[in-house]
Amino acid sequence: MKSLKKINSAFISVWQKDSLEKIVQAIDRLDIQIYSTGGTAGFIEKMNIPVTRVESVTGYPSILGGRVKTLHPKIFGGILARRDNRQDLEELGKYDIPPVDLVIADLYPFEETLAGGAPHEEIIEKIDIGGISLIRAAAKNFNDVLIIPSRNHYPELIDILEREKGETTLEQRRRMAGEAFRVSSQYDTAINNYFTGIAEEESFSVSFHHGHKLRYGENPHQSAFYYGSSRLPFNQIHGKEISYNNLLDIDAAMGLISEFGETSFAVLKHNNACGLASRDTLKQAWIDALAGDPVSAFGGVLITNREVDGETAEEINKLFFEVIISPGYSKESLSLLKQKKNRIILVHDNIELPNQLIRTVPGGILVQERDTKTESEADLKVVTRISPGKDEISDLIFANKIVKHSKSNAIVVAKDKQLLGSGVGQTSRIDALKQAIDKARDAGFDSTEAVMASDAFFPFADSVEIAHKAGITAVIQPGGSVKDQQSIDYCNTSKMKMVFTGIRHFKH
Protein backbone atom coordinates (compact mmCIF):
# COMPACT_ATOMS: atom_id res chain seq x y z
CA MET A 1 0.00 0.00 0.00
CA LYS A 2 1.47 3.35 -1.02
CA SER A 3 1.56 5.83 1.84
CA LEU A 4 1.83 8.98 -0.31
CA LYS A 5 -1.42 9.93 -2.05
CA LYS A 6 -2.01 12.63 -4.64
CA ILE A 7 -5.27 14.57 -4.34
CA ASN A 8 -7.03 14.54 -7.71
CA SER A 9 -10.59 15.25 -6.59
CA ALA A 10 -12.27 17.06 -3.73
CA PHE A 11 -15.78 17.17 -2.32
CA ILE A 12 -16.60 20.43 -0.52
CA SER A 13 -19.70 21.00 1.59
CA VAL A 14 -19.45 23.62 4.33
CA TRP A 15 -21.80 25.78 6.37
CA GLN A 16 -19.42 28.61 7.17
CA LYS A 17 -17.70 30.05 4.09
CA ASP A 18 -15.10 32.11 5.97
CA SER A 19 -11.56 31.36 4.75
CA LEU A 20 -12.92 28.99 2.08
CA GLU A 21 -11.86 31.24 -0.80
CA LYS A 22 -8.15 30.67 -0.20
CA ILE A 23 -8.72 26.90 0.00
CA VAL A 24 -10.66 26.79 -3.27
CA GLN A 25 -8.04 28.89 -5.07
CA ALA A 26 -5.25 26.56 -3.90
CA ILE A 27 -7.25 23.52 -5.05
CA ASP A 28 -7.90 25.09 -8.43
CA ARG A 29 -4.22 25.88 -8.98
CA LEU A 30 -3.49 22.14 -8.66
CA ASP A 31 -6.20 21.27 -11.24
CA ILE A 32 -8.10 19.22 -8.66
CA GLN A 33 -11.64 18.32 -9.69
CA ILE A 34 -14.17 19.95 -7.34
CA TYR A 35 -17.58 18.51 -6.43
CA SER A 36 -19.92 20.52 -4.26
CA THR A 37 -23.46 21.16 -3.05
CA GLY A 38 -25.97 24.00 -2.72
CA GLY A 39 -24.62 27.19 -1.18
CA THR A 40 -21.02 25.97 -1.26
CA ALA A 41 -21.24 25.29 -5.01
CA GLY A 42 -22.77 28.74 -5.51
CA PHE A 43 -19.91 30.32 -3.55
CA ILE A 44 -17.33 28.56 -5.75
CA GLU A 45 -19.17 29.48 -8.96
CA LYS A 46 -19.06 33.16 -7.97
CA MET A 47 -15.27 32.79 -7.83
CA ASN A 48 -15.38 31.70 -11.51
CA ILE A 49 -13.77 28.39 -10.59
CA PRO A 50 -15.07 25.17 -12.21
CA VAL A 51 -17.22 23.05 -9.92
CA THR A 52 -19.41 20.01 -10.53
CA ARG A 53 -22.66 20.15 -8.62
CA VAL A 54 -23.67 17.01 -6.77
CA GLU A 55 -26.98 16.87 -8.68
CA SER A 56 -25.13 16.24 -11.94
CA VAL A 57 -23.35 13.27 -10.34
CA THR A 58 -26.32 11.66 -8.60
CA GLY A 59 -29.05 12.57 -11.11
CA TYR A 60 -31.21 13.72 -8.19
CA PRO A 61 -31.93 17.30 -7.07
CA SER A 62 -31.68 18.53 -3.49
CA ILE A 63 -34.99 17.47 -1.89
CA LEU A 64 -37.05 17.94 1.28
CA GLY A 65 -36.04 21.56 1.66
CA GLY A 66 -32.35 20.72 1.52
CA ARG A 67 -32.50 17.89 4.05
CA VAL A 68 -31.23 15.42 1.44
CA LYS A 69 -28.42 16.49 -0.89
CA THR A 70 -25.38 14.23 -0.59
CA LEU A 71 -26.84 10.96 0.72
CA HIS A 72 -26.35 8.88 -2.43
CA PRO A 73 -24.19 5.86 -3.41
CA LYS A 74 -22.51 7.89 -6.17
CA ILE A 75 -21.14 10.27 -3.53
CA PHE A 76 -20.37 7.89 -0.70
CA GLY A 77 -19.14 5.17 -3.02
CA GLY A 78 -16.46 7.55 -4.28
CA ILE A 79 -15.39 8.35 -0.74
CA LEU A 80 -15.49 4.84 0.73
CA ALA A 81 -13.97 2.92 -2.18
CA ARG A 82 -10.72 1.20 -1.22
CA ARG A 83 -8.13 2.00 -3.87
CA ASP A 84 -6.28 -1.28 -3.33
CA ASN A 85 -9.43 -3.38 -3.61
CA ARG A 86 -10.05 -4.61 -7.17
CA GLN A 87 -13.77 -5.23 -6.63
CA ASP A 88 -14.28 -1.72 -5.24
CA LEU A 89 -12.57 -0.19 -8.27
CA GLU A 90 -14.55 -2.35 -10.66
CA GLU A 91 -17.80 -1.21 -9.05
CA LEU A 92 -16.77 2.43 -9.31
CA GLY A 93 -16.35 1.91 -13.04
CA LYS A 94 -19.52 -0.15 -13.43
CA TYR A 95 -21.74 2.47 -11.76
CA ASP A 96 -19.85 5.50 -13.06
CA ILE A 97 -18.87 6.69 -9.58
CA PRO A 98 -16.10 9.31 -9.44
CA PRO A 99 -13.48 8.64 -6.72
CA VAL A 100 -12.98 11.36 -4.09
CA ASP A 101 -9.57 11.96 -2.50
CA LEU A 102 -10.36 14.95 -0.26
CA VAL A 103 -13.48 15.85 1.72
CA ILE A 104 -13.88 19.32 3.24
CA ALA A 105 -16.79 19.73 5.62
CA ASP A 106 -18.02 22.23 8.18
CA LEU A 107 -21.13 21.18 10.07
CA TYR A 108 -24.37 23.03 10.68
CA PRO A 109 -23.94 25.21 13.79
CA PHE A 110 -26.06 23.13 16.17
CA GLU A 111 -24.44 24.30 19.42
CA GLU A 112 -24.35 27.94 18.38
CA THR A 113 -28.04 27.79 17.43
CA LEU A 114 -28.86 26.16 20.75
CA ALA A 115 -26.82 28.71 22.72
CA GLY A 116 -28.57 31.53 20.88
CA GLY A 117 -31.91 30.51 22.33
CA ALA A 118 -33.46 29.52 19.00
CA PRO A 119 -36.84 27.75 18.98
CA HIS A 120 -36.95 23.95 18.96
CA GLU A 121 -37.82 23.70 15.25
CA GLU A 122 -34.80 25.76 14.24
CA ILE A 123 -32.50 23.77 16.52
CA ILE A 124 -33.68 20.51 14.95
CA GLU A 125 -32.97 21.81 11.45
CA LYS A 126 -29.40 22.51 12.51
CA ILE A 127 -28.74 18.81 13.13
CA ASP A 128 -26.40 17.99 10.25
CA ILE A 129 -27.02 14.62 8.57
CA GLY A 130 -25.15 14.71 5.29
CA GLY A 131 -22.14 16.58 6.65
CA ILE A 132 -21.57 14.25 9.57
CA SER A 133 -21.91 11.27 7.23
CA LEU A 134 -19.32 12.73 4.85
CA ILE A 135 -16.93 13.24 7.74
CA ARG A 136 -17.30 9.72 9.10
CA ALA A 137 -17.05 8.10 5.66
CA ALA A 138 -13.88 9.97 4.72
CA ALA A 139 -12.32 9.32 8.13
CA LYS A 140 -13.09 5.61 7.89
CA ASN A 141 -11.30 5.45 4.56
CA PHE A 142 -8.25 7.42 5.73
CA ASN A 143 -5.96 5.02 3.89
CA ASP A 144 -7.00 6.77 0.70
CA VAL A 145 -8.93 9.91 1.61
CA LEU A 146 -8.01 13.08 3.49
CA ILE A 147 -10.78 14.54 5.66
CA ILE A 148 -10.89 18.19 6.74
CA PRO A 149 -13.72 18.08 9.33
CA SER A 150 -14.03 21.79 10.16
CA ARG A 151 -12.79 25.22 9.18
CA ASN A 152 -10.46 25.07 12.19
CA HIS A 153 -8.38 22.58 10.19
CA TYR A 154 -8.00 24.77 7.09
CA PRO A 155 -4.43 25.91 7.94
CA GLU A 156 -3.12 22.35 7.73
CA LEU A 157 -4.88 21.82 4.40
CA ILE A 158 -3.39 25.02 3.00
CA ASP A 159 0.04 23.71 3.96
CA ILE A 160 -0.64 20.40 2.18
CA LEU A 161 -1.91 22.12 -0.95
CA GLU A 162 0.78 24.78 -1.20
CA ARG A 163 3.89 23.16 0.25
CA GLU A 164 3.21 19.50 -0.51
CA LYS A 165 1.50 20.19 -3.86
CA GLY A 166 -1.57 18.22 -2.83
CA GLU A 167 0.21 15.06 -1.70
CA THR A 168 -0.64 13.53 1.68
CA THR A 169 1.05 10.95 3.87
CA LEU A 170 -0.71 8.12 5.67
CA GLU A 171 0.28 9.72 8.96
CA GLN A 172 -1.43 12.99 7.97
CA ARG A 173 -4.58 11.22 6.84
CA ARG A 174 -4.77 9.07 9.94
CA ARG A 175 -4.29 12.05 12.24
CA MET A 176 -7.00 14.02 10.46
CA ALA A 177 -9.28 10.97 10.71
CA GLY A 178 -8.80 11.13 14.47
CA GLU A 179 -9.69 14.83 14.40
CA ALA A 180 -12.75 13.99 12.34
CA PHE A 181 -14.06 11.43 14.82
CA ARG A 182 -13.42 13.92 17.63
CA VAL A 183 -15.53 16.52 15.81
CA SER A 184 -18.19 13.89 15.17
CA SER A 185 -18.21 12.77 18.80
CA GLN A 186 -18.52 16.30 20.13
CA TYR A 187 -21.30 17.12 17.71
CA ASP A 188 -23.30 14.00 18.56
CA THR A 189 -22.74 14.55 22.28
CA ALA A 190 -24.21 18.05 22.06
CA ILE A 191 -27.27 16.68 20.27
CA ASN A 192 -27.62 13.84 22.77
CA ASN A 193 -27.45 16.27 25.68
CA TYR A 194 -30.10 18.47 24.10
CA PHE A 195 -32.53 15.57 23.98
CA THR A 196 -31.66 13.79 27.23
CA GLY A 197 -29.85 16.29 29.44
CA ILE A 198 -26.18 16.09 30.35
CA ALA A 199 -26.71 13.23 32.78
CA GLU A 200 -29.37 10.54 32.94
CA GLU A 201 -29.62 7.25 34.74
CA GLU A 202 -28.57 4.94 31.91
CA SER A 203 -25.79 6.89 30.25
CA PHE A 204 -23.55 9.90 30.55
CA SER A 205 -21.69 11.83 27.89
CA VAL A 206 -19.97 15.16 27.76
CA SER A 207 -17.59 16.70 25.25
CA PHE A 208 -15.72 19.97 24.95
CA HIS A 209 -14.29 21.59 21.84
CA HIS A 210 -11.28 23.25 23.38
CA GLY A 211 -8.40 21.84 25.37
CA HIS A 212 -5.67 23.94 26.98
CA LYS A 213 -2.55 22.56 28.62
CA LEU A 214 -1.89 24.12 32.01
CA ARG A 215 1.55 24.73 33.45
CA TYR A 216 1.00 21.80 35.81
CA GLY A 217 -1.66 20.30 38.03
CA GLU A 218 -2.20 20.53 41.77
CA ASN A 219 1.56 19.99 42.18
CA PRO A 220 4.45 20.65 39.76
CA HIS A 221 4.99 16.94 39.07
CA GLN A 222 1.38 16.49 37.86
CA SER A 223 0.33 17.33 34.30
CA ALA A 224 -3.04 19.02 33.79
CA PHE A 225 -5.40 20.30 31.10
CA TYR A 226 -8.42 22.57 31.04
CA TYR A 227 -11.24 21.47 28.74
CA GLY A 228 -14.17 23.73 28.11
CA SER A 229 -15.43 26.68 26.13
CA SER A 230 -12.98 28.72 24.08
CA ARG A 231 -13.04 31.40 26.77
CA LEU A 232 -13.54 31.24 30.50
CA PRO A 233 -16.44 33.23 32.01
CA PHE A 234 -14.06 36.04 32.90
CA ASN A 235 -11.59 38.27 31.14
CA GLN A 236 -7.97 38.29 32.29
CA ILE A 237 -6.60 41.80 31.99
CA HIS A 238 -3.30 41.34 33.79
CA GLY A 239 -0.93 38.80 35.28
CA LYS A 240 0.62 35.41 34.74
CA GLU A 241 -1.04 32.34 33.25
CA ILE A 242 -3.89 30.98 35.34
CA SER A 243 -2.97 27.70 37.02
CA TYR A 244 -4.90 24.55 37.93
CA ASN A 245 -5.14 25.60 41.57
CA ASN A 246 -6.13 29.14 40.56
CA LEU A 247 -9.05 27.73 38.56
CA LEU A 248 -10.26 25.67 41.52
CA ASP A 249 -10.11 28.72 43.79
CA ILE A 250 -11.80 30.91 41.17
CA ASP A 251 -14.62 28.39 40.84
CA ALA A 252 -15.09 28.34 44.62
CA ALA A 253 -14.92 32.13 44.82
CA MET A 254 -17.49 32.68 42.08
CA GLY A 255 -19.87 30.20 43.67
CA LEU A 256 -19.53 31.91 47.05
CA ILE A 257 -19.89 35.52 45.92
CA SER A 258 -22.94 34.67 43.83
CA GLU A 259 -24.84 34.16 47.12
CA PHE A 260 -24.53 37.82 48.12
CA GLY A 261 -26.48 40.80 46.81
CA GLU A 262 -25.09 43.40 49.21
CA THR A 263 -21.69 44.99 48.68
CA SER A 264 -19.40 42.15 49.73
CA PHE A 265 -15.76 41.13 49.63
CA ALA A 266 -14.42 37.61 50.16
CA VAL A 267 -10.95 36.15 50.60
CA LEU A 268 -10.43 32.46 49.80
CA LYS A 269 -7.61 30.03 50.40
CA HIS A 270 -7.69 26.43 49.17
CA ASN A 271 -11.34 26.79 48.09
CA ASN A 272 -12.55 27.99 51.52
CA ALA A 273 -13.45 31.47 52.70
CA CYS A 274 -10.99 32.82 55.27
CA GLY A 275 -12.57 36.27 55.22
CA LEU A 276 -15.90 37.73 54.13
CA ALA A 277 -17.88 40.84 54.98
CA SER A 278 -20.88 42.73 53.65
CA ARG A 279 -20.82 46.50 54.18
CA ASP A 280 -22.19 49.79 52.87
CA THR A 281 -18.89 50.62 51.14
CA LEU A 282 -16.50 48.36 49.27
CA LYS A 283 -13.48 49.67 51.15
CA GLN A 284 -15.00 48.75 54.50
CA ALA A 285 -16.13 45.37 53.16
CA TRP A 286 -12.50 44.70 52.18
CA ILE A 287 -11.05 45.87 55.50
CA ASP A 288 -13.47 43.70 57.49
CA ALA A 289 -13.05 40.69 55.21
CA LEU A 290 -9.28 40.84 55.60
CA ALA A 291 -9.63 41.15 59.38
CA GLY A 292 -11.26 37.71 59.46
CA ASP A 293 -7.92 35.98 58.92
CA PRO A 294 -5.12 38.25 57.70
CA VAL A 295 -2.57 35.42 57.98
CA SER A 296 -4.45 33.02 55.68
CA ALA A 297 -5.27 35.86 53.28
CA PHE A 298 -1.59 36.02 52.24
CA GLY A 299 -1.37 34.56 48.73
CA GLY A 300 -5.14 34.12 48.53
CA VAL A 301 -7.86 34.75 45.99
CA LEU A 302 -9.99 37.89 46.37
CA ILE A 303 -13.45 38.38 44.93
CA THR A 304 -16.08 41.11 45.13
CA ASN A 305 -19.46 41.79 43.57
CA ARG A 306 -18.79 45.51 43.02
CA GLU A 307 -16.42 47.52 40.82
CA VAL A 308 -13.11 48.15 42.56
CA ASP A 309 -12.41 51.86 43.11
CA GLY A 310 -9.08 53.54 43.71
CA GLU A 311 -9.55 53.98 47.44
CA THR A 312 -10.28 50.29 47.93
CA ALA A 313 -7.45 49.26 45.61
CA GLU A 314 -5.02 51.27 47.71
CA GLU A 315 -5.91 49.12 50.72
CA ILE A 316 -5.92 45.87 48.74
CA ASN A 317 -2.52 46.63 47.27
CA LYS A 318 -0.94 46.36 50.73
CA LEU A 319 -1.49 42.59 50.65
CA PHE A 320 0.28 39.96 48.56
CA PHE A 321 -2.39 37.92 46.79
CA GLU A 322 -2.58 35.68 43.72
CA VAL A 323 -5.89 36.61 42.08
CA ILE A 324 -8.53 39.31 42.26
CA ILE A 325 -11.94 38.99 40.60
CA SER A 326 -14.42 41.83 40.19
CA PRO A 327 -17.18 43.00 37.81
CA GLY A 328 -14.93 45.95 36.94
CA TYR A 329 -12.11 48.28 37.96
CA SER A 330 -11.69 52.02 37.89
CA LYS A 331 -8.72 53.42 35.96
CA GLU A 332 -7.08 54.47 39.21
CA SER A 333 -7.53 51.02 40.79
CA LEU A 334 -5.96 49.26 37.81
CA SER A 335 -2.90 51.49 37.87
CA LEU A 336 -2.34 50.39 41.47
CA LEU A 337 -3.21 46.71 41.12
CA LYS A 338 -1.07 46.25 38.02
CA GLN A 339 2.08 47.20 39.92
CA LYS A 340 2.73 43.49 40.53
CA LYS A 341 3.41 41.91 37.13
CA ASN A 342 2.33 38.38 38.11
CA ARG A 343 -0.85 39.39 39.92
CA ILE A 344 -3.86 37.92 38.11
CA ILE A 345 -6.62 40.48 37.58
CA LEU A 346 -9.92 39.13 36.29
CA VAL A 347 -13.18 40.73 35.23
CA HIS A 348 -16.07 38.31 35.68
CA ASP A 349 -19.15 38.40 33.49
CA ASN A 350 -22.54 37.48 34.85
CA ILE A 351 -21.72 34.41 36.92
CA GLU A 352 -23.17 31.28 35.34
CA LEU A 353 -22.05 28.19 37.18
CA PRO A 354 -22.47 24.69 35.69
CA ASN A 355 -25.59 22.80 36.75
CA GLN A 356 -23.72 19.51 37.15
CA LEU A 357 -20.63 18.61 39.13
CA ILE A 358 -18.42 15.78 37.87
CA ARG A 359 -15.80 13.77 39.74
CA THR A 360 -13.87 10.63 38.93
CA VAL A 361 -13.95 7.54 41.15
CA PRO A 362 -12.43 4.09 40.62
CA GLY A 363 -14.16 2.50 37.66
CA GLY A 364 -16.21 5.51 36.60
CA ILE A 365 -17.46 8.98 37.40
CA LEU A 366 -19.95 10.63 39.72
CA VAL A 367 -22.36 13.29 38.45
CA GLN A 368 -24.56 15.35 40.73
CA GLU A 369 -26.62 18.51 40.58
CA ARG A 370 -25.00 21.64 41.95
CA ASP A 371 -26.19 22.64 45.42
CA THR A 372 -28.34 25.62 44.42
CA LYS A 373 -30.43 25.79 47.61
CA THR A 374 -29.90 28.99 49.55
CA GLU A 375 -32.06 29.38 52.67
CA SER A 376 -33.98 32.56 53.33
CA GLU A 377 -35.81 33.71 56.45
CA ALA A 378 -38.92 31.89 55.27
CA ASP A 379 -37.00 28.57 55.39
CA LEU A 380 -36.01 28.93 59.04
CA LYS A 381 -37.86 26.94 61.69
CA VAL A 382 -37.38 28.26 65.20
CA VAL A 383 -37.04 25.26 67.54
CA THR A 384 -36.22 27.08 70.82
CA ARG A 385 -38.43 29.05 73.18
CA ILE A 386 -36.65 32.29 72.33
CA SER A 387 -36.66 33.43 68.71
CA PRO A 388 -33.65 35.17 67.15
CA GLY A 389 -33.97 38.91 66.60
CA LYS A 390 -33.87 40.65 63.23
CA ASP A 391 -30.11 41.25 63.27
CA GLU A 392 -29.44 37.69 64.44
CA ILE A 393 -31.57 36.27 61.61
CA SER A 394 -29.57 38.37 59.15
CA ASP A 395 -26.31 37.04 60.59
CA LEU A 396 -27.59 33.45 60.64
CA ILE A 397 -28.43 33.60 56.94
CA PHE A 398 -25.06 35.27 56.24
CA ALA A 399 -23.16 32.53 58.12
CA ASN A 400 -25.21 29.78 56.49
CA LYS A 401 -24.23 31.00 53.02
CA ILE A 402 -20.56 30.75 53.95
CA VAL A 403 -20.79 27.33 55.59
CA LYS A 404 -22.58 26.03 52.48
CA HIS A 405 -19.41 26.77 50.48
CA SER A 406 -16.95 25.40 53.06
CA LYS A 407 -15.39 21.94 53.11
CA SER A 408 -17.10 19.53 55.49
CA ASN A 409 -17.15 19.19 58.39
CA ALA A 410 -17.62 22.92 58.63
CA ILE A 411 -18.61 25.48 61.25
CA VAL A 412 -18.80 29.25 60.68
CA VAL A 413 -18.90 31.91 63.40
CA ALA A 414 -20.10 35.35 62.30
CA LYS A 415 -21.36 38.66 63.68
CA ASP A 416 -22.60 41.85 62.06
CA LYS A 417 -22.26 40.28 58.58
CA GLN A 418 -18.59 39.54 59.10
CA LEU A 419 -16.87 36.17 59.17
CA LEU A 420 -15.10 35.90 62.53
CA GLY A 421 -13.76 32.39 62.18
CA SER A 422 -14.42 29.09 60.49
CA GLY A 423 -13.45 25.49 60.98
CA VAL A 424 -13.32 23.55 57.72
CA GLY A 425 -12.44 20.08 56.49
CA GLN A 426 -12.41 18.55 59.94
CA THR A 427 -13.11 14.89 60.69
CA SER A 428 -15.39 15.82 63.60
CA ARG A 429 -17.87 18.65 64.07
CA ILE A 430 -16.44 19.36 67.52
CA ASP A 431 -12.99 19.94 66.00
CA ALA A 432 -14.49 22.23 63.35
CA LEU A 433 -16.24 24.27 66.06
CA LYS A 434 -13.12 24.55 68.22
CA GLN A 435 -11.10 25.64 65.18
CA ALA A 436 -13.70 28.32 64.31
CA ILE A 437 -13.70 29.70 67.86
CA ASP A 438 -9.90 29.66 68.03
CA LYS A 439 -9.68 31.43 64.67
CA ALA A 440 -12.03 34.16 65.85
CA ARG A 441 -10.11 34.58 69.09
CA ASP A 442 -6.72 34.65 67.31
CA ALA A 443 -8.03 37.36 64.97
CA GLY A 444 -8.91 39.47 68.00
CA PHE A 445 -12.69 39.11 67.79
CA ASP A 446 -15.09 38.92 70.68
CA SER A 447 -17.54 36.14 69.85
CA THR A 448 -20.06 37.35 72.42
CA GLU A 449 -23.49 37.56 70.75
CA ALA A 450 -22.06 35.99 67.59
CA VAL A 451 -23.95 33.34 65.61
CA MET A 452 -22.87 29.88 64.49
CA ALA A 453 -23.72 27.95 61.33
CA SER A 454 -23.17 24.22 60.79
CA ASP A 455 -23.27 22.42 57.44
CA ALA A 456 -24.89 19.35 59.04
CA PHE A 457 -26.75 18.42 62.22
CA PHE A 458 -25.23 18.17 65.69
CA PRO A 459 -25.29 14.54 66.86
CA PHE A 460 -25.01 15.59 70.51
CA ALA A 461 -25.49 18.70 72.64
CA ASP A 462 -21.74 19.16 73.19
CA SER A 463 -21.37 21.51 70.21
CA VAL A 464 -23.97 24.01 71.40
CA GLU A 465 -22.50 23.80 74.90
CA ILE A 466 -19.05 24.79 73.60
CA ALA A 467 -20.62 27.55 71.49
CA HIS A 468 -22.49 28.93 74.48
CA LYS A 469 -19.32 29.06 76.58
CA ALA A 470 -17.72 31.09 73.77
CA GLY A 471 -20.53 33.64 73.95
CA ILE A 472 -22.43 32.53 70.84
CA THR A 473 -26.15 33.23 71.23
CA ALA A 474 -27.79 31.85 68.05
CA VAL A 475 -27.33 28.73 65.96
CA ILE A 476 -28.44 27.68 62.48
CA GLN A 477 -28.24 24.03 61.45
CA PRO A 478 -30.16 21.54 59.29
CA GLY A 479 -31.49 19.44 62.16
CA GLY A 480 -32.30 15.78 61.65
CA SER A 481 -30.34 14.06 64.40
CA VAL A 482 -32.14 11.50 66.53
CA LYS A 483 -30.81 13.52 69.46
CA ASP A 484 -31.85 16.96 68.23
CA GLN A 485 -33.87 17.45 71.41
CA GLN A 486 -30.72 17.35 73.53
CA SER A 487 -29.32 20.35 71.66
CA ILE A 488 -32.68 22.13 71.81
CA ASP A 489 -32.96 21.53 75.55
CA TYR A 490 -29.47 22.89 76.18
CA CYS A 491 -30.25 26.01 74.13
CA ASN A 492 -33.47 26.56 76.06
CA THR A 493 -31.71 26.16 79.39
CA SER A 494 -28.97 28.55 78.29
CA LYS A 495 -31.36 31.05 76.67
CA MET A 496 -29.82 30.47 73.23
CA LYS A 497 -31.76 30.61 69.98
CA MET A 498 -31.67 27.85 67.39
CA VAL A 499 -33.23 27.51 63.94
CA PHE A 500 -33.44 24.46 61.71
CA THR A 501 -33.30 24.70 57.92
CA GLY A 502 -34.00 21.10 57.02
CA ILE A 503 -31.24 21.34 54.38
CA ARG A 504 -27.80 19.78 54.76
CA HIS A 505 -24.88 21.36 52.91
CA PHE A 506 -22.12 18.76 52.89
CA LYS A 507 -19.22 19.65 50.60
CA HIS A 508 -16.46 17.10 50.02
Side-chain angles (χ1 to χ4, degrees):
M1 182 187 299
K2 291 182 63 177
S3 171
L4 207 60
K5 297 281 184 178
K6 173 74 173 175
I7 299 173
N8 295 305
S9 59
F11 192 99
I12 309 176
S13 180
V14 300
W15 171 265
Q16 178 60 257
K17 310 302 187 294
D18 290 354
S19 305
L20 182 62
E21 183 174 354
K22 185 177 181 181
I23 295 286
V24 174
Q25 289 171 340
I27 288 174
D28 183 58
R29 282 194 294 269
L30 294 174
D31 293 323
I32 295 171
Q33 172 71 51
I34 300 175
Y35 301 95
S36 191
T37 65
T40 307
F43 178 87
I44 297 171
E45 288 168 345
K46 288 180 180 178
M47 294 175 61
N48 294 317
I49 288 177
V51 57
T52 301
R53 285 184 170 265
V54 68
E55 296 90 336
S56 65
V57 177
T58 64
Y60 281 88
S62 173
I63 61 173
L64 306 182
R67 280 189 162 198
V68 180
K69 295 188 288 284
T70 61
L71 297 172
H72 195 281
K74 281 202 169 184
I75 302 301
F76 282 85
I79 297 170
L80 287 164
R82 293 158 291 189
R83 309 308 198 262
D84 61 348
N85 185 294
R86 180 181 298 177
Q87 183 176 342
D88 284 6
L89 297 180
E90 288 176 352
E91 289 180 353
L92 290 185
K94 178 179 179 180
Y95 298 109
D96 194 24
I97 299 174
V100 175
D101 306 313
L102 166 66
V103 172
I104 304 173
D106 187 62
L107 298 170
Y108 289 175
F110 176 83
E111 290 180 271
E112 293 86 343
T113 305
L114 179 61
H120 174 72
E121 293 75 15
E122 185 177 342
I123 292 170
I124 293 301
E125 289 308 312
K126 290 302 185 291
I127 298 176
D128 205 316
I129 303 300
I132 202 77
S133 300
L134 289 168
I135 288 173
R136 291 176 64 84
K140 178 177 180 176
N141 200 24
F142 69 89
N143 276 330
D144 300 300
V145 180
L146 174 67
I147 174 63
I148 302 298
S150 79
R151 61 185 181 276
N152 296 328
H153 300 94
Y154 285 178
E156 183 159 355
L157 177 59
I158 283 291
D159 188 64
I160 289 171
L161 294 171
E162 294 184 346
R163 293 183 57 186
E164 309 299 331
K165 305 303 180 185
E167 289 190 332
T168 64
T169 65
L170 180 61
E171 180 185 357
Q172 287 172 324
R173 298 191 299 275
R174 184 185 181 91
R175 183 162 47 80
M176 292 309 299
E179 287 292 300
F181 285 118
R182 180 181 60 81
V183 168
S184 173
S185 174
Q186 290 171 343
Y187 196 77
D188 286 340
T189 295
I191 296 169
N192 172 66
N193 291 340
Y194 173 68
F195 281 98
T196 65
I198 291 183
E200 57 175 342
E201 290 184 10
E202 294 184 359
S203 66
F204 169 81
S205 59
V206 65
S207 183
F208 294 105
H209 290 284
H210 302 278
H212 174 67
K213 184 173 175 58
L214 301 173
R215 283 180 291 158
Y216 52 80
E218 219 160 0
N219 299 292
H221 63 275
Q222 295 171 269
S223 62
F225 290 82
Y226 165 79
Y227 295 99
S229 57
S230 58
R231 64 179 294 272
L232 293 163
F234 43 77
N235 177 32
Q236 182 173 358
I237 58 178
H238 184 74
K240 63 184 178 181
E241 181 184 355
I242 296 174
S243 71
Y244 180 95
N245 289 332
N246 289 154
L247 285 170
L248 291 178
D249 282 326
I250 291 166
D251 174 66
M254 294 177 75
L256 176 61
I257 205 67
S258 67
E259 302 277 2
F260 296 88
E262 298 173 89
T263 299
S264 301
F265 226 121
V267 185
L268 289 90
K269 199 73 172 287
H270 297 295
N271 309 159
N272 294 294
C274 57
L276 200 156
S278 296
R279 293 292 183 261
D280 291 334
T281 67
L282 187 63
K283 178 182 176 182
Q284 195 60 50
W286 161 250
I287 291 172
D288 291 346
L290 178 62
D293 191 345
V295 175
S296 295
F298 184 86
V301 171
L302 319 182
I303 189 166
T304 179
N305 54 6
R306 297 292 188 271
E307 179 178 303
V308 177
D309 55 75
E311 190 178 11
T312 305
E314 193 169 345
E315 290 295 323
I316 295 170
N317 205 38
K318 297 174 183 178
L319 175 75
F320 168 76
F321 59 90
E322 287 264 336
V323 182
I324 183 168
I325 314 164
S326 166
Y329 304 85
S330 70
K331 186 175 181 180
E332 181 184 359
S333 70
L334 279 179
S335 66
L336 289 167
L337 296 174
K338 285 183 175 180
Q339 290 175 0
K340 302 291 185 182
K341 67 176 183 178
N342 288 331
R343 179 180 286 164
I344 297 170
I345 302 176
L346 305 176
V347 178
H348 69 71
D349 301 329
N350 292 328
I351 298 175
E352 293 186 11
L353 300 168
N355 293 325
Q356 282 82 21
L357 302 178
I358 304 169
R359 297 179 69 170
T360 60
V361 292
I365 58 173
L366 295 175
V367 182
Q368 71 167 345
E369 295 176 335
R370 178 176 290 276
D371 182 359
T372 58
K373 178 63 177 175
T374 300
E375 290 76 34
S376 66
E377 184 175 352
D379 299 308
L380 308 185
K381 178 184 177 182
V382 179
V383 295
T384 49
R385 295 195 197 100
I386 306 174
S387 298
K390 182 179 178 181
D391 289 343
E392 284 178 316
I393 289 174
S394 179
D395 279 344
L396 288 169
I397 293 172
F398 174 88
N400 199 52
K401 290 177 179 178
I402 300 173
V403 83
K404 170 186 171 182
H405 291 270
S406 302
K407 296 288 185 181
S408 298
N409 288 304
I411 294 287
V412 163
V413 176
K415 184 166 67 173
D416 298 329
K417 295 184 179 179
Q418 180 184 21
L419 173 60
L420 305 187
S422 61
V424 298
Q426 299 301 305
T427 53
S428 79
R429 197 152 303 281
I430 287 287
D431 286 342
L433 174 57
K434 290 177 179 178
Q435 183 186 58
I437 293 171
D438 288 344
K439 281 277 189 180
R441 185 182 297 114
D442 292 345
F445 292 115
D446 179 3
S447 57
T448 303
E449 297 186 347
V451 305
M452 173 176 73
S454 176
D455 63 338
F457 65 66
F458 296 113
F460 306 102
D462 49 3
S463 292
V464 290
E465 182 179 353
I466 292 170
H468 174 247
K469 290 178 180 178
I472 292 167
T473 57
V475 179
I476 185 170
Q477 61 139 319
S481 168
V482 295
K483 297 184 178 181
D484 275 343
Q485 194 60 46
Q486 291 183 8
S487 295
I488 295 171
D489 290 343
Y490 184 91
C491 287
N492 284 329
T493 301
S494 306
K495 297 182 180 180
M496 293 176 72
K497 304 99 175 181
M498 181 183 286
V499 297
F500 285 180
T501 64
I503 301 294
R504 189 181 73 184
H505 288 297
F506 269 165
K507 185 179 182 186
H508 295 105

